Structures are given as structure tokens and as C-alpha cells.
Amino acid sequence: MKLATYKNGTRDGELRVVSRDLTRCVAVPDIAPTLQAALDDWLEAAPRLKERYAQLNTGQLACVEPFDETRCASPLPRAYQWADGSAYLNHVELVRRARGAEVPESFYTDPLMYQGGSDAFLAPRAPIPLRDPAWGLDFEGEVGVITGDVPLGATVELCARAIRLVLLVNDVTLRNLIPCELAKGFGFFQSKPATAFSPVAVTPDELGGDWHGGKLHLPLLVDYNGRRFGQPEAGVEMQFSFPELIAHVAKTRELCAGSIVGSGTVSNRDRRVGSACLAEVRMIEIIEDGAAHTPFMQVGDTVRIEMRDDAGASIFGAIEQKVVAHD
Amino acid sequence: MKLATYKNGTRDGELRVVSRDLTRCVAVPDIAPTLQAALDDWLEAAPRLKERYAQLNTGQLACVEPFDETRCASPLPRAYQWADGSAYLNHVELVRRARGAEVPESFYTDPLMYQGGSDAFLAPRAPIPLRDPAWGLDFEGEVGVITGDVPLGATVELCARAIRLVLLVNDVTLRNLIPCELAKGFGFFQSKPATAFSPVAVTPDELGGDWHGGKLHLPLLVDYNGRRFGQPEAGVEMQFSFPELIAHVAKTRELCAGSIVGSGTVSNRDRRVGSACLAEVRMIEIIEDGAAHTPFMQVGDTVRIEMRDDAGASIFGAIEQKVVAHD
């Protein structure tokens, strides 16, 4: 099934079940007022939501409205956890090569993850506020999952069963704040402002054969200022599956229902498919030409992140954001 | 006023107003079912909670129960943000000196902060689960604040006004996982398991003259296995005030109501006052003797963290935790 959250003036918005073709939606206040409420009580709520989804798809419901992506908040407008990985080693290798460093052997077996701020996400069509263009604003196209409860020390198999929903991510990053933050030793903090997610989150069964091995095997379509910037395939070069990333978190603590876990910037070794962030293009320029030419995002620049099924239909709706100045 | 959250089988527990002397409490379902609900609507809820608090202190309420710290969950059993600073530079200096490194000049003007996991906190009397004693389990006694909404780019003055509540923290840390994590460059992640907070959170006005300059000027009392381990003063050597720490977060993103911001391990230069974590004692041993003798926490070890007013009365109740093995 497909779920979204409509803005309604409250902090957590209103849960909506969305038709498979993203044309219609329906509120479900009798099942769960918000997505977090549904996740908190998933075993009870999910079968009822699925039934409603089936009825919506077959035209059996009253009170149906046209689905409007511009009315969407983040599926979880605020969440209790946003833990982001960096599972595409090609991206890591490029970062390292651009500064003349090797990738440690351990990076191929031990995931890189950081804890992101989760208290206030950007809506999928919300502008990206930029206080200082010198901070080096970048987008990062990713895939993410929303989990149920995961106990401390959960196995990879148990983590696989805890994946409730899949969605897309724009992990907004302030590149020029990163070197100083990493030098301080505590990791990303100010360099990771509010993240945006796709309008729609979908259950893994909705992805059919494109979801296997705990990965989503479809190209992530990234447009920058109206032109295709990249379409890297999200499955094959993902070094760690989502269940493995979740198990990495669960090694030392439990995860509560509604935790979001991200893949990191989708990246392929085949450069013909382009990139899902500006930094990667800049690193390739540094490696090939000795200097980066592609500027970071400026006020007015736009990014669009989407994924389409084999028939060309949008699965999650589109993240579509424009940079605006913020005083 | 003083607020706590009783466990009641739900994920967010039940908000309780607690008497100043921590002997009595009362549920307030007509005002707010949970602390997060009160924080979400603070301007509406706070005056009503304060009135109830005054009535509770003067014995004017029915349905009052004895206050029992063992029934408490974390004031926020799960939160949308837990951002922890490292504002006591003495602690940072000891860490660095123990490994022969200098403290960069920027550390005195630019706060160290990391994003902690906030989806599942330990109750103040909950055992600390330990999967592997080799991970080097340590406690860290800290002071924390819970904020209201803070806009992007908020000034220090605005951040000061956004402080809703003050509480104590046990920032549980797995010391031996830190070197590998820091070497990876992404900061703390697995090395920071679930955090615990004091049973009671209090409004700053409750602290009288001990709260000024955005800092809490009282000793933090830390007992380890039943003996006083440290009583460092939390105010005077705090390099960055809470409003400055909050402004550090707000530099690149807004904070949502219910965000928790921590001070970092309280630490004083005067070694006679002891320490608020084991690592600091070990670093002093390394500096003085060339090797650490004090072991990290093992199964059965206990830590108690509390703060008392000038009359000797407990302000926040006590964090009191025992390490238990977790398979």
C-alpha cells in the first residue's frame, strides 16, 4: 500500500491512504490519525489500512479526493530517529580519491552511519532555506526505509522483517561546513540541515520484484534545474542492505517504531548514469581536471528526485525543491 | 514547576505534576496527557500546569498520590531530538592530553556537539543492558534542557527564552567503540547507546538563583557503587551556556518543541571534586601513571546521579542504574 501525510495545521499532519497510481487519496481517521500512530500500532493498523487501500484502488470508497503532492508534509513530519548510512562505496571512494586518500578495508564490511536531526523535516515540495551560499548547499538523492520496533541486538533477518515502508530522501548537506566538523571529530552536525522525503511511502510488497535482498533495484531519477542530472541504479552497488544497516544501529540500542534509516547518496561506478549529488560531480572534476567547476546550489536552483516503475509510473511521487534565501 | 512521566503501558507514558519536595504527584489528563503534548502547546498548557503545581504544593488537590521515582519513565520516553554538547573544556583537555594532543583554539569558541539517538531512552531506574563488557561501558553525568520551538538562525537571546525545562542526564557511552568510530570520520554512533534522564524535569524558575547565565550553578552528585565518585560544579566551567548550545544547533536548522540539548560530561579542573564519568579518571591515571587502572562498568556495577539544592533536597530525583548482561 501507499501512504502519505497531508498538512492540516497540526505538527504530525493527517494520514492518507493513496491509490497505487497516485491519483486519489482518502483520510482514515477511524484507523489512525497520523502515520506515527499507525506505526506505533502497526499489527493492528496495517491490515485495516491495506483493506482500505484495496478498496481505494478498486473505486469502492466514498470521500475520496484527488491526490495532490503539493499538499503533502513529509510522511513523518517529525520522527524519533533518522539514521543515515553511506552504503554506496563508489561515493566514498570518490570522496577519498579526490583528497588522495585510500578507502580503509573495513569500510567494505562495517557501514558508515551518522545520526541525523529528525525533529523537523522539510515537506517534499518545501523550499530549501539557505542562510549563507558559502556553506556549499548540496542535495543527496537516497532511498530510505521506515522501521517498526527493533530490539537491541536484532539479527539481520529480524531487521528485514521490521521494514514497514520505503521512501525517497533528499539528504540536504552543507558541504563546506563538513571539513571543519569532521576535523573536530564529532561527525556531521551543522553540515546536515533539515532533510526532505518523498510525498509517498510504500510497503515493500508494492515494489514487487524490484525489492529483493533488502535493496530497491531501480534507478533513482535526479533532475537539477530541469535537466536530468543522474539516474544511478539503487540496488546493485549498495554495499550494505537495509536490514544490514538497521542491524548496525541495533548492535548497541533498540530502534523505536517510526525510525527512518537511509541508504546514503545513491552512486554507481558507471559514470554515464550521472550522480545523485553535486559533490560527486565535483570530486570527479577534481580527479580528472584538478579542480571542481560545478558550483553548489544557489538561490533559485531546483532539484527533483523521483523513481519510476518499469511502466514509467511514479512510485513515491516527487521531491521537488527550490533554494530560497533565508535571513 | 516540576514534571515527570509515569509509565502506563503506552509509548509516551502519563504526564504528572510533581510537588516541589518530590513527595506527591497528580495526573493532569484535562491539561495534557503527555509531556510532549504539553510542550507542543506550551503557551496554553504551561499556565494551567503551573496553577495545578501551586495547588499541589499547598495541598488543595484531590486525587493526589505519593510520588514514586521507580514508576517514572524518562520525562520524554522518546523525543524528536537529543543533541549533546561537550561544553566542559576540562574534560576535552584531559581526553586530548591523555593521547598527547593539544586542544585546538577553536574549541574555546565553537562548541562540540553530536546528534544522539532519541527514539528510545532508558527510564531513570532502568538497568543498563550490556551485550559485551569489552565495549567499555561508562556513565556520563550531565545537565540537559528541553526546548520549545526554535526558528532557524535564532539568536542566543531567543534560544534562552526557548528553554522550557531542565533535567539531569546519564549519557551512557561505550568507550572502547569510540576510537574506531572516530577513525571512520562520521562521529559517534554505536558508541552512544540509549541515554537516561532524571525522573523529574523542572522549569528554570524552580532553580532560583542557581540558574543564571543559561547555566545551572550547583554540584552534580555522582555515586558509583554506593560511594561518592564526583561532585563537579555544573556552572562555572561550562564553556558554552545552554542558549549558546541551542544557537549552535539552530545555525543551520530549526528545533522542534521537545528537543533535548545536553551539556556534556560535567567536569572541573579541581581534581578534588572528582569526576562525572570513568573515562576522565582513567585519563588522569594515564597522564599521571602512564596507564589506566580504573575498569569500565561491569555487570552489577551501579551509578547514581542527583543534584541537591542548598537545603540538601533532591531537585530532579535520582538517576540510579545497574548494569545487567544482555544476550
Side-chain angles (χ1 to χ4, degrees):
Chain A
M1 67 183 153
K2 300 195 173 191
L3 301 173
T5 294
Y6 261 22
K7 299 175 196 170
N8 67 346
T10 68
R11 291 176 182 269
D12 296 303
E14 179 186 70
L15 178 61
R16 294 266 165 151
V17 174
V18 182
S19 65
R20 179 167 291 128
D21 63 4
L22 306 185
T23 61
R24 288 155 295 137
C25 69
V26 65
V28 284
D30 57 317
I31 303 175
T34 66
L35 180 54
Q36 183 64 50
L39 290 159
D40 282 348
D41 196 19
W42 188 253
L43 294 186
E44 179 71 27
R48 298 178 63 200
L49 291 170
K50 281 188 182 178
E51 186 184 359
R52 201 67 54 91
Y53 177 64
Q55 292 165 337
L56 177 64
N57 282 324
T58 50
Q60 297 173 59
L61 293 183
C63 301
V64 169
E65 292 176 58
F67 178 58
D68 181 354
E69 295 183 26
T70 68
R71 291 181 61 186
C72 288
S74 246
L76 291 169
R78 52 181 181 174
Y80 296 103
Q81 175 154 237
W82 161 226
D84 197 14
S86 186
Y88 299 88
L89 270 291
N90 182 56
H91 180 80
V92 178
E93 287 163 9
L94 286 171
V95 175
R96 298 257 160 175
R97 271 184 62 195
R99 62 173 202 246
E102 297 278 306
V103 175
E105 201 54 43
S106 68
F107 279 28
Y108 296 90
T109 54
D110 180 29
L112 284 169
M113 289 194 89
Y114 77 91
Q115 194 80 43
S118 57
D119 58 314
F121 295 132
L122 298 176
R125 301 295 167 93
I128 303 173
L130 180 59
R131 293 187 64 208
D132 186 344
W135 290 349
L137 182 66
D138 198 0
F139 51 86
E140 286 196 4
E142 310 189 1
V143 178
V145 298
I146 302 178
T147 77
D149 293 307
V150 179
L152 173 62
T155 61
V156 171
E157 292 66 31
L158 191 59
C159 293
R161 290 201 297 275
I163 294 174
R164 301 289 184 239
L165 296 162
V166 183
L167 74 180
L168 304 182
V169 187
N170 179 13
D171 180 38
V172 180
T173 300
L174 297 166
R175 297 287 179 194
N176 293 340
L177 299 187
I178 290 181
C180 275
E181 290 213 307
L182 295 196
K184 286 163 72 180
F186 271 38
F188 306 114
F189 195 82
Q190 292 178 327
S191 51
K192 293 289 186 180
T195 307
F197 296 89
S198 52
V200 176
V202 314
T203 46
D205 64 320
E206 201 64 44
L207 301 164
D210 296 319
W211 176 263
H212 59 87
K215 307 175 186 179
L216 179 47
H217 295 265
L218 281 172
L220 185 72
L221 310 178
V222 179
D223 291 348
Y224 186 44
N225 290 330
R227 298 167 74 165
R228 179 60 39 88
F229 188 79
Q231 45 192 344
E233 206 275 339
V236 64
E237 292 181 52
M238 190 178 177
Q239 183 78 8
F240 306 100
S241 68
F242 282 107
E244 288 171 328
L245 293 175
I246 298 166
H248 184 80
V249 185
K251 179 181 170 184
T252 62
R253 55 187 165 89
E254 61 180 75
L255 291 82
C256 125
S259 290
I260 312 176
V261 175
S263 68
T265 316
V266 178
S267 178
N268 291 170
R269 285 187 169 75
D270 180 354
R271 292 190 186 167
R272 291 172 300 182
V273 301
S275 293
C277 69
L278 294 170
E280 201 168 293
V281 169
R282 290 168 53 91
M283 291 181 288
I284 292 168
E285 290 168 349
I286 289 170
I287 292 165
E288 293 187 346
D289 309 332
H293 316 300
T294 303
F296 287 119
M297 296 183 91
Q298 304 297 322
V299 170
D301 285 335
T302 61
V303 62
R304 181 183 167 93
I305 299 170
E306 201 175 15
M307 194 174 261
R308 294 180 177 276
D309 65 19
D310 297 336
S314 180
I315 300 171
F316 304 96
I319 297 171
E320 202 172 315
Q321 300 186 276
K322 184 179 197 164
V323 180
V324 298
H326 182 98
D327 296 331
Chain B
M1 66 184 153
K2 300 195 173 191
L3 302 173
T5 295
Y6 261 23
K7 298 175 195 170
N8 67 348
T10 68
R11 291 177 182 268
D12 297 303
E14 180 187 69
L15 178 61
R16 294 266 166 152
V17 175
V18 183
S19 65
R20 180 166 291 127
D21 64 3
L22 307 185
T23 61
R24 287 155 294 137
C25 69
V26 65
V28 284
D30 56 318
I31 302 175
T34 66
L35 179 54
Q36 183 65 49
L39 290 159
D40 282 347
D41 196 20
W42 189 252
L43 295 186
E44 179 71 28
R48 298 178 64 200
L49 292 170
K50 282 187 182 177
E51 187 184 359
R52 202 65 57 90
Y53 178 64
Q55 293 165 337
L56 176 63
N57 283 324
T58 51
Q60 298 172 58
L61 293 182
C63 301
V64 169
E65 291 175 58
F67 178 59
D68 182 353
E69 295 182 27
T70 67
R71 290 181 61 187
C72 288
S74 246
L76 291 169
R78 53 181 180 174
Y80 295 105
Q81 175 154 238
W82 161 227
D84 198 14
S86 185
Y88 299 88
L89 270 290
N90 182 58
H91 180 80
V92 179
E93 287 163 8
L94 285 171
V95 175
R96 298 256 161 176
R97 272 184 62 194
R99 64 172 201 244
E102 297 278 305
V103 175
E105 201 56 43
S106 67
F107 279 28
Y108 296 89
T109 54
D110 180 30
L112 285 169
M113 289 194 89
Y114 77 90
Q115 194 80 43
S118 58
D119 58 313
F121 296 131
L122 297 176
R125 302 296 167 93
I128 303 173
L130 180 59
R131 293 187 63 208
D132 186 344
W135 290 348
L137 183 65
D138 198 0
F139 52 86
E140 286 197 2
E142 308 190 1
V143 178
V145 298
I146 302 178
T147 77
D149 293 306
V150 179
L152 172 62
T155 61
V156 172
E157 292 68 31
L158 190 59
C159 292
R161 291 201 295 277
I163 294 174
R164 301 288 185 239
L165 296 163
V166 183
L167 73 179
L168 304 183
V169 187
N170 180 13
D171 180 38
V172 180
T173 300
L174 298 166
R175 297 288 179 194
N176 293 340
L177 298 187
I178 290 181
C180 275
E181 289 212 308
L182 296 196
K184 286 163 72 179
F186 271 36
F188 307 114
F189 194 83
Q190 292 178 328
S191 50
K192 293 289 185 180
T195 307
F197 297 89
S198 52
V200 177
V202 313
T203 46
D205 65 319
E206 201 63 45
L207 301 164
D210 296 320
W211 175 263
H212 59 86
K215 305 174 186 180
L216 179 48
H217 294 264
L218 282 172
L220 186 74
L221 310 179
V222 180
D223 292 347
Y224 186 45
N225 290 330
R227 298 167 75 166
R228 179 59 39 88
F229 188 79
Q231 43 191 345
E233 206 276 337
V236 63
E237 293 182 52
M238 190 179 177
Q239 182 79 9
F240 306 100
S241 69
F242 282 107
E244 287 172 326
L245 292 175
I246 299 166
H248 185 80
V249 184
K251 179 181 170 184
T252 61
R253 56 187 164 89
E254 61 180 75
L255 290 82
C256 127
S259 289
I260 311 176
V261 175
S263 67
T265 315
V266 179
S267 177
N268 291 170
R269 287 187 168 75
D270 181 354
R271 292 190 187 169
R272 291 171 302 183
V273 301
S275 293
C277 67
L278 294 170
E280 201 168 293
V281 168
R282 290 167 54 90
M283 291 181 288
I284 292 168
E285 291 168 350
I286 289 170
I287 292 165
E288 294 186 345
D289 309 333
H293 316 301
T294 303
F296 287 119
M297 296 182 91
Q298 303 297 321
V299 170
D301 285 334
T302 62
V303 62
R304 180 183 168 93
I305 298 170
E306 202 174 16
M307 193 174 264
R308 294 181 177 274
D309 65 19
D310 298 336
S314 181
I315 301 171
F316 304 96
I319 298 170
E320 203 173 313
Q321 300 186 275
K322 185 178 197 165
V323 180
V324 298
H326 183 99
D327 296 331

